[in-house]
Amino acid sequence: MNRMKSMLLSTAAALLLTTGAAADTESSYDKDFQEMQKFINTMVDSHLTRAKIGNFGYPRVNVQSTKENYIYEFDLAGVAKKDIKLSIDENNILRLSGKKESRKEDKSDKFIKQEIFYGSFNRVMQLPDDIDQTKIDTKYDNGILKLTIGRKAIKKPKAKILEIK
């Protein structure tokens, strides 16, 4: 079981690293990664409980790239706006954290299956180098946090020609 957990965590980490920044073109490996993700989700659903893996991968996010902006949409259904903290540091690291309060349960409630996540969460993502931190807009509506970040042109370093003596 420990070997399976280790293999699962390594694969999951590789998947997370591939989803950190938006790309303008689709990779030929996208379909393979989608199939791998389906396999991992099936394995997690059938062998590990939500309690064992905590809030791994929460909240889910969609990332879009346009010529002018990057658009991030986080699925935060059931999270109060006041419980969400969002920041971007000088190294373009996005941090999203918060807490999803559980519903008040009757002591007689007995769950057959419980998949909805409750508790604290923390998501950290490396943003692309060409974001413009002066052009940021956020909107929270119906459990979706939409973050729109403008893009800027990246100055390419000029090569200095050196005289050979």
Side-chain angles (χ1 to χ4, degrees):
M1 183 68 176
N2 283 337
R3 184 170 184 217
M4 184 176 79
K5 281 183 184 177
S6 176
M7 191 170 89
L8 175 65
L9 290 174
S10 296
T11 306
L15 282 173
L16 287 175
L17 290 174
T18 64
T19 60
D24 287 333
T25 59
E26 282 192 22
S27 166
S28 61
Y29 296 109
D30 285 349
K31 187 172 182 176
D32 293 335
F33 279 115
Q34 288 173 355
E35 289 298 318
M36 188 184 304
Q37 188 171 12
K38 284 180 189 175
F39 173 75
I40 290 170
N41 289 343
T42 302
M43 191 165 57
V44 168
D45 289 342
S46 62
H47 296 292
L48 299 174
T49 65
R50 191 67 170 154
K52 289 182 182 175
I53 60 173
N55 62 4
F56 182 76
Y58 184 85
R60 294 174 297 182
V61 63
N62 289 337
V63 181
Q64 293 175 307
S65 175
T66 68
K67 287 184 179 182
E68 299 85 24
N69 299 306
Y70 289 104
I71 302 165
Y72 294 79
E73 291 181 319
F74 295 93
D75 181 3
L76 294 169
V79 180
K81 183 178 171 182
K82 67 176 179 58
D83 293 330
I84 301 170
K85 293 180 184 165
L86 183 65
S87 67
I88 300 174
D89 70 15
E90 66 275 1
N91 296 315
N92 293 344
I93 303 290
L94 172 76
R95 297 182 194 286
L96 174 63
S97 61
K99 185 173 185 178
K100 183 175 180 180
E101 298 289 340
S102 64
R103 66 180 181 87
K104 303 297 181 214
E105 296 178 21
D106 185 344
K107 296 286 183 198
S108 65
D109 285 350
K110 293 184 180 177
F111 290 97
I112 296 170
K113 186 168 183 148
Q114 188 173 13
E115 294 183 348
I116 298 173
F117 166 78
Y118 295 102
S120 296
F121 60 88
N122 188 33
R123 180 95 189 237
V124 179
M125 299 174 71
Q126 175 67 55
L127 299 176
D129 291 334
D130 65 339
I131 68 165
D132 185 347
Q133 289 199 24
T134 65
K135 296 179 182 174
I136 297 177
D137 183 53
T138 60
K139 181 180 180 184
Y140 189 59
D141 187 38
N142 284 333
I144 301 294
L145 173 62
K146 184 176 182 179
L147 172 65
T148 304
I149 307 172
R151 296 177 81 160
K152 65 181 178 183
I154 296 179
K155 295 178 184 175
K156 295 183 182 179
K158 294 181 180 178
K160 180 180 179 181
I161 308 275
L162 302 175
E163 180 183 344
I164 300 174
K165 298 178 183 178

